[in-house]
Amino acid sequence: MLTAWPPKNNAPSLRICSSSPSRRSTHGRETDPAVRATTCGVLQASQDFWDDRGEETVEAAEQEIDTAFQKLVAALTARWGSPETVDLEPYLWTEDPAPEPINELCQISGQMLVWRRPDAGRWVALAIGQADREFPIELLAAVGAAPVP
């Protein structure tokens, strides 16, 4: 059972990844322009696997998320050209936290596909991640302004 847009039964279906609280003003407005230009959200999520971690259940969830991922990759590639694959693992082992939304993505995904938008000064990324084996598998989209190697 996957949740997707549009929401059903008033259930939230888009989770916005949080920015670093240390860069927020006391009024909740972002003070760092690089943080204001970033966002990350869950576009689709599978069920969680607390009660049923059976092979068939997990494979069905993985397949459904991957199908949605491939459709989005095709649409973004048709519009902006081929993406770059970015390995997110090195961001986990740096002494300083990675810039958002890379910091959020590297916590639950090993790589992301990135479409750079030099005309806009930003990039768009897609990733599939799972916080832990009991948590839902998530299709994530991010927009960032921080440099990506």
Side-chain angles (χ1 to χ4, degrees):
M1 177 183 316
L2 297 173
T3 59
W5 193 260
K8 297 178 181 172
N9 302 327
N10 296 325
S13 62
L14 180 65
R15 177 180 59 97
I16 302 298
C17 302
S18 59
S19 312
S20 170
S22 64
R23 293 186 183 165
R24 288 190 180 273
S25 72
T26 57
H27 303 310
R29 290 191 209 122
E30 296 291 350
T31 56
D32 183 338
V35 173
R36 280 196 312 263
T38 68
T39 191
C40 177
V42 177
L43 300 179
Q44 187 169 331
S46 72
Q47 68 182 47
D48 65 44
F49 302 102
W50 292 99
D51 296 326
D52 184 5
R53 181 86 187 136
E55 187 175 324
E56 288 180 16
T57 303
V58 174
E59 285 180 6
E62 289 173 341
Q63 182 61 42
E64 193 157 356
I65 294 293
D66 188 59
T67 298
F69 177 78
Q70 295 304 328
K71 287 179 182 178
L72 284 170
V73 168
L76 292 172
T77 298
R79 182 169 181 125
W80 294 323
S82 296
E84 301 170 49
T85 301
V86 175
D87 182 10
L88 294 172
E89 187 176 350
Y91 292 102
L92 284 173
W93 310 113
T94 62
E95 289 186 26
D96 296 323
E100 293 299 342
I102 296 170
N103 187 48
E104 180 80 16
L105 290 171
C106 75
Q107 302 299 317
I108 59 175
S109 183
Q111 70 177 23
M112 65 181 179
L113 294 182
V114 175
W115 290 265
R116 296 181 191 267
R117 299 298 320 233
D119 56 317
R122 290 183 254 176
W123 48 264
V124 175
L126 292 177
I128 295 175
Q130 187 176 21
D132 205 350
R133 53 184 285 142
E134 295 85 10
F135 288 93
I137 300 166
E138 298 175 330
L139 171 55
L140 305 140
V143 175
V148 177

